[in-house]
Amino acid sequence: MERYFWVATGLIVVMSLISGYDNPINVSNMIELSLWCAAVPAIFTGLFQSTEPVKQKARFIWGTNFILSAAFTLVILSMTTYAVIADGPLNESALIFMVMPFGFIGSFIVATPLGFLAYAISKDI
């Protein structure tokens, strides 16, 4: 499972590099954009991987948090990557990345109870 999480995180990094392509400002902004997009999914992947397999409740919580934060990131990046490929650099449209922290907070608020619920359901089965 960890491999899939790291592959998805790598996909997020590649898509964020494409989204920052030909940025008129400089290359450091493209690197910041990659870190901005991949930081939270990478943190949840690391937490999931570092949690012992015996502690299933924590693994469910970190796994659902990764899935929702990565899904949110991939939705935003799919729109911006398509725009860069179709029309060129984002320029002012890159302001869409300002919603990322709020999306990450929202996904954390939703994913934590979902992780508890998934753990409770799997424990009863």
Side-chain angles (χ1 to χ4, degrees):
M1 188 71 142
E2 291 93 355
R3 281 188 240 145
Y4 297 124
F5 284 3
W6 285 116
V7 168
T9 304
L11 178 66
I12 289 170
V13 170
V14 169
M15 289 177 71
S16 62
L17 287 173
I18 292 171
S19 294
Y21 176 74
D22 202 22
N23 192 342
I25 300 170
N26 55 24
V27 175
S28 68
N29 285 359
M30 192 164 61
I31 295 170
E32 288 175 19
L33 177 65
S34 300
L35 292 173
W36 183 253
C37 294
V40 173
I43 288 169
F44 285 133
T45 301
L47 287 171
F48 179 83
Q49 189 171 0
S50 67
T51 306
E52 297 173 12
V54 179
K55 299 179 180 177
Q56 288 295 319
K57 187 185 299 184
R59 288 180 68 90
F60 272 96
I61 292 168
W62 299 135
T64 54
N65 274 297
F66 168 79
I67 290 168
L68 285 181
S69 66
F72 170 74
T73 304
L74 287 172
V75 166
I76 297 292
L77 285 175
S78 64
M79 292 187 294
T80 58
T81 302
Y82 176 75
V84 167
I85 291 172
D87 300 327
L90 291 176
N91 297 327
E92 291 83 21
S93 300
L95 290 175
I96 192 169
F97 291 109
M98 292 184 72
V99 302
M100 297 294 277
F102 303 109
F104 289 145
I105 291 169
S107 68
F108 179 77
I109 290 170
V110 171
T112 301
L114 283 177
F116 280 121
L117 181 66
Y119 174 73
I121 289 172
S122 71
K123 190 174 179 182
D124 288 340
I125 293 177

